[in-house]
């Protein structure tokens, strides 16, 4: 069964550094998403992406964040200058319509 | 704005028993989708069940079923014959009926199934 994959599974970075989180969505899906879950809290929407552009973004998704689909298969989330409060689990999801399928997540730790 | 509320932070159930997890939501939309996602200790988000708001019939998936009360804006999940593998965090989520729409999650209910 096709699945969403994410790399790396765990990323440790120093405050102020740039990180890129990578996702490979399910191949025939059209809609792509990033969500964030701070430990012990609910899952929060960051951004949605369709037809090579951002469809919607949340208040969390400020100028430090960007997304890209560089080659038709990968979908990346870049954080330009990480802060301590960016430490969280980041989930990628993809969908053809209404059912979103999630990847296993990347745990980002900012020290 | 839409909100999703899960008022039970933790629940426990004996193996083979039935448990119901509660979820309420607030929206002015008439057409939308509701979901339950399971998050085991691995933290993977797994879709359990989906309900379309325009359907009166409650969705079922094997041991999982929902009680969807549109007027009351209530969407509970019933797990029958609970198994140890059902131990997980369960999130209720709302989505407007718009392809590519975002999921809005509740705070989650941590379910423990005891042998």
């Amino acid at each position: 069964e096709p699945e969403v994959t994410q790399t790396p599974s765990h990323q440790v970075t120093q405050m102020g550094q740039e990180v890129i989180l990578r996702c490979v969505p399910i191949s025939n899906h059209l809609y792509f998403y990033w969500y964030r879950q701070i430990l012990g809290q609910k899952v929060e929407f960051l951004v949605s992406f369709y037809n090579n552009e951002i469809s919607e973004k949340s208040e969390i998704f400020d100028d430090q964040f960007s997304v890209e689909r560089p080659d038709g298969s990968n979908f990346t989330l870049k954080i330009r200058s990480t802060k301590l409060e960016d430490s969280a689990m980041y989930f990628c999801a993809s969908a053809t319509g209404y059912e979103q399928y999630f990847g296993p997540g990347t745990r980002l730790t900012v020290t | 704005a839409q909100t999703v509320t899960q008022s039970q932070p933790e629940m426990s159930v004996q193996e083979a028993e039935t448990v119901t997890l509660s979820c309420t939501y607030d929206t002015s939309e008439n057409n939308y989708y509701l979901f339950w996602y399971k998050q085991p200790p691995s933290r993977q988000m797994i879709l359990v069940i989906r309900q379309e708001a325009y359907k009166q019939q409650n969705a079922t998936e094997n041991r999982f079923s929902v009680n969807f009360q549109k007027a009351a804006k209530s969407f509970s999940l019933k797990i029958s014959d609970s198994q140890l593998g059902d131990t997980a965090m369960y999130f209720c989520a709302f989505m407007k009926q718009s392809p590519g729409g975002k999921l809005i999650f509740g705070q989650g209910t941590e379910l423990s199934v005891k042998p």
Side-chain angles (χ1 to χ4, degrees):
Chain A
E1 186 175 324
E3 57 184 20
V4 178
T5 60
Q6 289 185 245
T7 54
S9 56
H10 190 192
Q11 173 96 42
V12 181
T13 190
Q14 289 191 327
M15 197 167 52
Q17 295 296 304
E18 175 183 285
V19 294
I20 297 176
L21 309 184
R22 291 184 167 80
C23 169
V24 178
I26 295 172
S27 62
N28 63 336
H29 285 189
L30 302 174
Y31 305 97
F32 313 109
Y33 309 82
W34 284 101
Y35 292 85
R36 179 180 84 174
Q37 185 183 32
I38 294 171
L39 186 63
Q41 297 187 21
K42 67 179 177 179
V43 179
E44 299 173 289
F45 168 78
L46 289 178
V47 65
S48 58
F49 193 86
Y50 170 72
N51 202 24
N52 283 320
E53 60 183 25
I54 290 174
S55 311
E56 186 176 357
K57 58 184 180 180
S58 71
E59 293 176 352
I60 303 167
F61 194 87
D62 61 22
D63 292 344
Q64 293 300 313
F65 291 88
S66 62
V67 289
E68 197 176 38
R69 189 158 158 80
D71 56 12
S73 60
N74 291 284
F75 179 50
T76 62
L77 174 69
K78 182 193 291 186
I79 309 175
R80 288 192 185 82
S81 178
T82 50
K83 307 183 184 88
L84 293 176
E85 53 265 36
D86 293 328
S87 293
M89 196 78 162
Y90 288 81
F91 291 103
C92 173
S94 70
T96 51
Y98 301 104
E99 287 191 3
Q100 294 184 24
Y101 293 89
F102 283 72
T106 293
R107 183 188 300 273
L108 177 63
T109 303
V110 183
T111 62
Chain B
Q2 290 80 23
T3 58
V4 178
T5 303
Q6 293 178 250
S7 58
Q8 305 153 313
E10 298 176 355
M11 291 193 72
S12 66
V13 63
Q14 292 296 130
E15 198 175 5
E17 297 293 304
T18 295
V19 64
T20 299
L21 309 183
S22 302
C23 173
T24 57
Y25 58 95
D26 190 26
T27 184
S28 57
E29 301 284 331
N30 191 45
N31 297 313
Y32 49 88
Y33 290 88
L34 295 163
F35 304 85
W36 279 97
Y37 278 86
K38 169 184 176 181
Q39 187 179 45
S42 67
R43 298 192 73 183
Q44 171 94 47
M45 295 288 287
I46 301 165
L47 178 61
V48 175
I49 198 163
R50 179 186 87 178
Q51 175 77 44
E52 295 89 337
Y54 63 84
K55 287 188 179 177
Q56 291 189 336
Q57 186 172 7
N58 290 321
T60 62
E61 285 287 342
N62 301 314
R63 298 183 294 108
F64 298 88
S65 61
V66 299
N67 183 3
F68 172 50
Q69 302 289 328
K70 191 173 183 180
K73 295 180 182 171
S74 169
F75 182 61
S76 60
L77 174 70
K78 185 170 85 170
I79 307 174
S80 305
D81 185 26
S82 297
Q83 299 175 1
L84 296 177
D86 295 334
T87 292
M89 183 75 90
Y90 287 81
F91 290 98
C92 177
F94 171 98
M95 178 196 289
K96 288 197 287 189
Q97 189 174 329
S98 167
K102 66 185 178 192
L103 287 166
I104 299 169
F105 287 91
Q107 305 92 317
T109 296
E110 187 166 3
L111 177 67
S112 297
V113 180
K114 300 186 185 304

